[in-house]
Amino acid sequence: LTAICCGSRAVMVKTSGGTVSATTFTITAPVVTMTPTSGPIGTKVTMCVTNMTPDGVIPVGGITFGGISWNTSPLSIDFTGHVCSTTLTVPAAAVGGHAVTINDGNIVATRNFTITQPTVSVSPATAFKGEKITISGNGWPLQMPGSVSVTFGGEVVGLVTPNDKGYFSTQFTVPLTANPVSLISASDILGNTALPVRFSLKGPTFIVKPKDGFAGTTAAVEGTGFQPYSGIEELKFGNTNVLMVPSITNEVGKFTTTFIVPGLPAGGYTVSVKIAGVALTDCFTITTSDALPPLPTPVTFPLKQSLASIIDKIIIVWGYTSEAGWQMYDPNDDLGSTLDVLISGRGYWIKVTGDCSLFTRSLTAGWNLIGW
């Protein structure tokens, strides 16, 4: 018999006596049922076909997916022309529609399956170094543990397992080496790859609180988004170094510290900070008021806070004022020490055990005369 198309056909019968009879015969088109009809590579598909050749066989390779042999064992067709395949797994192929063909040698049935692309997302899409972000995925096939690789900036940062709905979620700490913009993606062992999404670092910020005040008052500075675990290289009010005690950023690049406003003329000044080579500025205005008595000048600074960075090297400090005469500070003699503040514009003699740096000043072992 030769395979013919579906539909109605005339059948002619001629007897030996020469009588001719005619009738019609309808060939029913095969019907293919697939569950599901779309999904990523690796999706398990159950397929049933009716109206195939009764008692026939679909040979190995008789079912194709986009032209690729799909069934690896023959499938028997029952006497009604019905066959249900064992579960077939969607092979590695391009995203989009693919023709599924079932051929038993006489009848050919077709259906379409659409390969979908799994997705990946990140929340939040911007953050500081050291902060945690959540990377999620949808539309992935259920697989063995650790079968999906999550990448950040091209580096694998986690192995995750989709649940029975194709979803996964994992937390990740933004590394200290992260670039300003990084791509996040995911891929699995079957050939699925998500389109990458962008992640951006938040830029550092720096602010002075309050924005104005009198000379000699205390102001605070805050910074976020700098390099984590890095020391403040400098903190300046105009051209005056006002960093009183060493300070470092925390795990997400944040810091807070205070300074005393120098005894400078009223007006606007730039306050600047520098950390790990990154410098930012804010503004502060020194104010005056006729309603208040003038602040004493010059400005005083707490000695122990001002010398905290070299306190372990100090032997003795001497200072002189016309009001109090000679005063000294000995770190080993708190009761006998009479010098407890440093006054801007005054000179001081500092004896240290070895070479060291005090803000922008370089001190050598022995006696040093500095201007404060």
Side-chain angles (χ1 to χ4, degrees), residues 230-235 241 243 247 273-278 359-360:
S230 299
I232 298 177
E233 298 173 22
E234 63 180 35
L235 177 63
N241 196 325
L243 182 63
S247 182
V273 69
K274 185 178 181 181
I275 300 174
V278 177
F359 303 127
T360 58

Side-chain angles (χ1 to χ4, degrees), residues 266-328:
Y269 293 87
T270 297
V271 181
S272 61
V273 69
K274 185 178 181 181
I275 300 174
V278 177
L280 292 182
T281 62
D282 199 4
C283 297
F284 186 93
T285 301
I286 297 179
T287 59
T288 60
S289 173
D290 295 337
L292 296 174
L295 291 172
T297 55
V299 179
T300 60
F301 297 83
L303 181 142
K304 289 185 179 180
Q305 289 183 348
S306 299
L307 303 182
S309 63
I310 62 168
I311 199 70
D312 59 330
K313 294 185 179 294
I314 292 178
I315 299 173
I316 196 167
V317 180
W318 282 97
Y320 178 84
T321 64
S322 58
E323 299 85 1
W326 286 100
Q327 293 177 301
M328 72 86 180

Side-chain angles (χ1 to χ4, degrees), residues 140-143 161-168:
W140 297 84
L142 176 64
Q143 298 173 34
T161 305
N163 64 14
D164 57 358
K165 296 182 179 180
Y167 173 82
F168 70 79

